[in-house]
Amino acid sequence: MPSNAFNVFFIKQFMESNIPDKIIESAGIDSAGEFLTFNQIVLPILGPAISTLLHRSCYLCLDKYPLPVLVTLVHGYYNSPSSPNKLSAKG
C-alpha cells in the first residue's frame, strides 16, 4: 500500500476520532508497554481504516489498467493478459 498524504491524514483522523486517550492511559496503568498497547489495542481498532485504504489502493491500481489495454488493442500490439489465445500453440 503506497503511502501518500491522503493515507496519513486518513489514519490520523481515524485514530483521533476512534481511539480515546483513556484507553491508552489505562493500558499504561496496567503496565502494558508501547509495543503491546499498539499491537493489542490500537491495531484492532484501526482494522476498518486499514481495510478501507487497502481496498482504495487496489481500486486505484486496477483503475490504471484499461488505458494500456485500449491503446494496445487499437494499434494491434497485444500483451499477454489481453490476448491469452495468441499464446496457445497453433497446429
Side-chain angles (χ1 to χ4, degrees):
M1 179 169 50
S3 178
N4 60 22
F6 175 79
N7 293 352
V8 173
F9 178 75
F10 184 77
I11 291 291
K12 178 186 171 292
Q13 290 299 110
F14 189 85
M15 288 177 72
E16 287 179 354
S17 65
N18 290 320
I19 302 175
D21 291 334
K22 292 183 179 186
I23 291 178
I24 306 298
E25 290 173 8
S26 65
I29 292 171
D30 290 339
S31 70
E34 291 182 7
F35 184 74
L36 185 66
T37 302
F38 183 74
N39 279 337
Q40 294 195 359
I41 295 173
V42 175
L43 272 181
I45 295 173
L46 286 179
I50 293 171
S51 175
T52 300
L53 290 179
L54 181 66
H55 288 282
R56 182 179 177 273
S57 156
C58 291
Y59 174 75
L60 290 175
C61 287
L62 290 176
D63 194 31
K64 297 176 185 176
Y65 181 69
L67 181 63
V69 171
L70 179 67
V71 169
T72 58
L73 290 178
V74 168
H75 295 292
Y77 301 111
Y78 298 105
N79 55 7
S80 57
S82 62
S83 62
N85 56 359
K86 295 276 186 184
L87 297 176
S88 64
K90 296 181 181 178

